[in-house]
Amino acid sequence: MSIEDLIDNITGQEYAKAEPMFHELLQSKVNDALEAEKVKVAGQIFNGEEEEQLEMDFDDDELETEDDSEEEIEDSEEIAEEE
């Protein structure tokens, strides 16, 4: 069974055959991903492998620096004192 067979069944409107094929293919993908995650976690636990860190790409305009947040806190405190 392959993805091509699934597509052939769908395009041929043989949905009764396509549905179990779809579920089986999807389950296979989930099992493969789960097994890969198990291997990764076992490597971290038993072999001391480092966990991969994902890098996030932010624009500088989107990030708030510590100075900005401190200024906002000071501004809000000044406003509260004035009231």
Side-chain angles (χ1 to χ4, degrees), residues 1-12 17-29 32:
M1 173 184 21
S2 68
I3 294 176
E4 290 82 14
D5 294 334
L6 174 66
I7 293 171
D8 289 340
N9 285 332
I10 292 171
T11 56
K17 291 181 182 178
E19 183 180 4
M21 291 176 81
F22 173 75
H23 290 292
E24 190 173 326
L25 286 168
L26 192 61
Q27 186 64 42
S28 174
K29 297 284 185 185
D32 290 346

Side-chain angles (χ1 to χ4, degrees), residues 60-78:
D60 291 335
D61 297 338
E62 293 176 5
L63 296 176
E64 184 176 293
T65 64
E66 287 184 28
D67 293 337
D68 292 342
S69 60
E70 289 175 8
E71 288 176 12
E72 288 176 10
I73 292 171
E74 290 173 3
D75 290 344
S76 63
E77 289 173 352
E78 287 176 10

